[in-house]
Amino acid sequence: MKNTLYLILFFVISPCISTKAQGLLQEKNNFTRQDTLRGSITPEREWWDLSYYHLDIKVNPEQKTISGTNTIQYTVLKPNQVLQIDLQEPLVLTKVTQNNKELEIKHDGNAHFVTLKDQQKIGATNSVIAYYEGKPREAVRAPWDGGISWKKDKNGNHFIASSCQGLGASVWWPNKDHMYDEVDSMDISVTIPKGLMNVSNGRLKNIIDNKDETITTNWHVANPINNYGVNINIGDYANFSEVFKGEKGDLDMNYYVLKDNLEKAKTHFKDAPKMMKAFEHWFGPYPFYEDSFKLVEVPYLGMEHQSSVTYGNKYMNGYLGSDLSGTGWGLKFDFIIIHEAGHEWFANNITNVDIADMWIHESFTAYSESLFLDYYYGKQASSEYVIGTRRGIQNDRPLIGQYNVNNEGSGDMYYKGANMLHTLRQLVNDDEKWRQILRTLNSKFYHQTVTTQQIENCLAEESGLDLKEIFNQYLRTTKIPVLEYQVEGKKLHYKWTNTVKDFVMPIKIEVNGINHWITPSKEYQTLKLKSKDSNIKVDNNFYVNVKAL
């Protein structure tokens, strides 16, 4: 039953990460040159800093092809004449130009090394134009096994969307495909057949009628954006909107849904402003007011595309009508709206430098589900939900993957990570302080890429707690601490086992209905009891195992 549950939850709780089909979640010890070129900050990447993209493409639904250009603007950080552009086969990078001069390209699998002719002077702002075409990888089972989904709605209209987390944005457009360097702003121009609409990130600038049975939608992204967060969504869309009165003023919230679902969506999407109210409370202002917030229907489950969150949960509460926690609380909200929108704070605002640290995205966002419940239904509901999600934890591999080779950690980064954070909340033992810590994360690392160490340091500094070995325990091992205890007369003996070397963590216990804090270590300690017949209960808000001797 445990293995069956894991298989269900693996595909259920991972709507925004890649599956083993993409080779990122499986345990892997042998890495290729392509893994290194994709996952490391190569010399051909580190010398230039992204400032602007203009992705200008034509999508042909009948042939399932994409063609066009990406203008890549950058600032020179140090001398170099070779620039790495990433584009995955079977797409073809046909040419690259700078100042109207065609440049030499050396192709190495999905990495393309462009030799620049003009001298690259430190501090200069330059640009290249990358031309490409072909049939992009078709999604096998989006979003887990991603690419482009070429589908049709029930009326026979084309229904197309991109999804590429883990797999990489270069699966459908040429770019600097590494998380460490986010572009500062971006324009997205998409030419499609008339009768359809494309929705991308940011705000719609205009729609141009090309007089040839096509239109071009032009979108502008004013904020920094991670490359996998860029998306296209093409369909027979209807649009409705509202204005949310948020912490930074008026926030435009736009919804794009298939026309047949318009009335249904107007009712069901009421979870979106509820989400915004709860998450602004917990995490601080929505990070992309300038770009608005959009919820866009797509032909797959959904993804956290920045300011253009995609939705395919079939207008049901829970995850496609099921409760991942098994407590009933998961049916109080639409899982995809809450989870994927939670990523606007953790993944899109705060983004991991290396995908090995993807727990930063998924642990906080999985935890946000319980915080949504906390805001509307109270602390007990929140606790019951997050504790309920432990049933999906496998402790198969550490949450942190291997660095510089595009390798994610365990899928436990969702609910093991969420329960680690729930445990930290208990240690802080002050809900308002905990809320301020979460808000501090989003203000301190506003629109930044970060490492695990930065997040660890911030949590430790803001909480005033020594969390080093706690993070080592939960992030870097598969061991769950065991609180071992024994009652002898009027004495309670207790210690931690199954822990890293210097692990010390306070925990709350109940003795005959009265709460006590104890601080076990790896050596037995003793608590004097008032009675020989003491009933000991360990607070299950702490993610630990208990062994009574």
Side-chain angles (χ1 to χ4, degrees):
M1 181 63 186
K2 184 178 180 182
N3 290 335
T4 303
L5 177 63
Y6 169 64
L7 290 172
I8 294 171
L9 287 174
F10 182 82
F11 291 110
V12 165
I13 71 174
S14 307
C16 50
I17 63 173
S18 315
T19 63
K20 295 181 180 180
Q22 290 186 2
L24 292 174
L25 281 179
Q26 64 190 24
E27 188 168 5
K28 184 175 180 180
N29 296 307
N30 297 315
F31 296 95
T32 67
R33 172 175 169 78
Q34 285 298 306
D35 293 324
T36 299
L37 290 176
R38 170 79 170 83
S40 63
I41 304 173
T42 63
E44 295 79 14
R45 282 172 169 162
E46 67 174 351
W47 68 269
W48 54 286
D49 178 58
L50 275 172
S51 56
Y52 170 77
Y53 284 137
H54 180 196
L55 181 62
D56 186 359
I57 62 174
K58 182 175 183 178
V59 179
N60 189 322
E62 294 297 333
Q63 278 71 47
K64 297 184 178 180
T65 61
I66 295 178
S67 61
T69 63
N70 187 25
T71 300
I72 305 171
Q73 185 184 89
Y74 60 91
T75 300
V76 179
L77 301 178
K78 59 183 182 180
N80 203 311
Q81 293 298 122
V82 181
L83 177 148
Q84 178 180 338
I85 295 175
D86 304 289
L87 183 68
Q88 296 181 33
E89 298 174 340
L91 289 171
V92 178
L93 186 67
T94 55
K95 70 175 179 176
V96 179
T97 64
Q98 185 169 68
N99 298 325
N100 297 316
K101 302 171 188 175
E102 188 166 346
L103 306 172
E104 178 188 355
I105 309 172
K106 290 185 178 179
H107 305 279
D108 189 344
N110 297 325
H112 310 274
F113 297 95
V114 181
T115 300
L116 304 170
K117 295 180 178 180
D118 296 341
Q119 184 179 0
Q120 305 298 301
K121 297 180 180 180
I122 295 176
T125 298
N126 300 329
S127 63
V128 296
I129 303 175
Y131 296 76
Y132 78 111
E133 62 185 29
K135 289 188 175 184
R137 183 184 194 278
E138 187 166 352
V140 176
R141 189 173 182 271
W144 305 280
D145 199 350
I148 301 295
S149 297
W150 305 95
K151 304 293 184 181
K152 290 189 176 181
D153 65 22
K154 66 181 183 181
N155 297 317
N157 300 303
H158 287 289
F159 195 21
I160 302 162
S162 61
S163 58
C164 58
Q165 187 181 15
L167 180 60
S170 56
V171 74
W172 67 276
W173 61 287
N175 64 92
K176 189 179 193 177
D177 203 357
H178 193 286
M179 302 297 290
Y180 89 100
D181 190 7
E182 294 188 346
V183 72
D184 298 332
S185 63
M186 182 171 185
D187 283 300
I188 306 168
S189 302
V190 182
T191 299
I192 54 175
K194 284 184 178 177
L196 298 174
M197 175 63 186
N198 170 67
V199 182
S200 289
N201 315 79
R203 291 185 182 270
L204 181 63
K205 294 196 299 185
N206 55 48
I207 302 175
I208 298 173
D209 187 334
N210 297 314
K211 312 298 184 184
D212 65 352
E213 298 306 313
T214 68
I215 61 168
T216 300
T217 62
N218 291 299
W219 295 83
H220 178 69
V221 183
N223 289 293
I225 185 169
N226 58 57
N227 49 38
Y228 82 85
V230 176
N231 69 347
I232 54 173
N233 306 289
I234 300 166
D236 184 26
Y237 285 125
N239 168 241
F240 66 101
S241 62
E242 61 185 319
V243 176
F244 176 78
K245 301 293 183 180
E247 288 194 16
K248 291 178 67 174
D250 290 348
L251 171 63
D252 294 324
M253 300 184 68
N254 272 280
Y255 311 103
Y256 288 86
V257 299
L258 294 180
K259 289 179 179 176
D260 287 351
N261 294 330
L262 179 59
E263 294 308 315
K264 185 191 305 182
K266 285 181 177 179
T267 299
H268 192 77
F269 282 6
K270 288 179 181 178
D271 261 5
K274 286 182 65 179
M275 169 279 301
M276 195 64 68
K277 186 175 182 182
F279 288 169
E280 284 210 334
H281 169 82
W282 282 109
F283 304 140
Y286 172 69
F288 309 108
Y289 270 71
E290 299 84 355
D291 290 324
S292 77
F293 173 86
K294 294 185 296 300
L295 198 56
V296 188
E297 187 171 2
V298 290
Y300 63 87
L301 184 61
M303 261 287 296
E304 71 255 28
H305 303 106
Q306 184 173 308
S307 74
S308 183
V309 173
T310 49
Y311 175 84
N313 201 38
K314 302 186 183 301
Y315 301 95
M316 303 171 74
N317 274 0
Y319 174 94
L320 293 172
S322 67
D323 174 16
L324 299 183
S325 75
T327 64
W329 290 115
L331 297 177
K332 297 293 185 180
F333 59 90
D334 185 307
F335 176 89
I336 292 300
I337 294 176
I338 304 310
H339 181 91
E340 301 305 343
H343 276 304
E344 294 281 45
W345 286 264
F346 294 97
N348 297 339
N349 184 40
I350 302 174
T351 307
N352 54 235
V353 167
D354 191 299
I355 204 167
D357 287 337
M358 194 172 163
W359 76 271
I360 298 168
H361 295 196
E362 301 303 346
S363 299
F364 282 95
T365 304
Y367 180 58
S368 77
E369 299 159 23
S370 65
L371 292 181
F372 176 85
L373 287 168
D374 193 304
Y375 188 83
Y376 289 104
Y377 298 98
K379 192 172 180 178
Q380 183 175 345
S382 169
S383 296
E384 289 176 2
Y385 177 85
V386 71
I387 291 168
T389 63
R390 292 176 190 170
R391 63 186 188 148
I393 298 172
Q394 291 298 297
N395 286 308
D396 55 346
R397 290 183 293 121
L399 300 196
I400 296 177
Q402 297 193 49
Y403 291 102
N404 301 314
V405 285
N406 198 45
N407 178 250
E408 299 172 2
S410 169
D412 282 345
M413 69 179 76
Y414 285 78
Y415 290 130
K416 181 179 179 181
N419 275 279
M420 178 191 72
L421 294 172
H422 187 62
T423 299
L424 292 184
R425 180 182 183 178
Q426 313 312 309
L427 296 175
V428 171
N429 198 28
D430 181 332
D431 289 343
E432 180 55 27
K433 183 176 181 179
W434 180 241
R435 182 172 82 97
Q436 292 305 322
I437 290 171
L438 296 174
R439 291 173 67 93
T440 296
L441 283 172
N442 276 281
S443 60
K444 182 173 183 176
F445 301 119
Y446 185 73
H447 292 176
Q448 292 182 37
T449 58
V450 300
T451 64
T452 285
Q453 199 60 56
Q454 286 176 283
I455 296 298
E456 287 185 34
N457 291 345
C458 184
L459 287 170
E461 290 167 7
E462 295 300 318
S463 68
L465 302 172
D466 182 356
L467 301 175
K468 180 180 178 181
E469 299 308 327
I470 294 174
F471 285 126
N472 284 339
Q473 179 81 30
Y474 287 99
L475 294 177
R476 297 177 176 89
T477 80
T478 59
K479 297 178 179 180
I480 301 305
V482 175
L483 180 64
E484 187 176 288
Y485 75 89
Q486 183 176 12
V487 176
E488 289 184 346
K490 291 185 178 183
K491 293 181 179 180
L492 172 68
H493 306 291
Y494 57 88
K495 69 174 182 178
W496 287 121
T497 63
N498 199 43
T499 62
V500 295
K501 182 180 177 182
D502 297 317
F503 185 85
V504 176
M505 184 177 78
I507 190 168
K508 188 190 295 183
I509 64 171
E510 188 180 284
V511 181
N512 294 333
I514 299 174
N515 288 329
H516 296 265
W517 280 92
I518 58 175
T519 306
S521 64
K522 300 197 81 168
E523 304 298 328
Y524 268 118
Q525 298 180 59
T526 301
L527 176 69
K528 292 183 179 180
L529 304 173
K530 292 182 179 181
S531 169
K532 291 182 179 180
D533 299 318
S534 293
N535 180 35
I536 309 298
K537 183 179 179 182
V538 178
D539 189 340
N540 67 351
N541 285 294
F542 293 79
Y543 181 40
V544 301
N545 290 325
V546 178
K547 182 179 181 181
L549 300 179

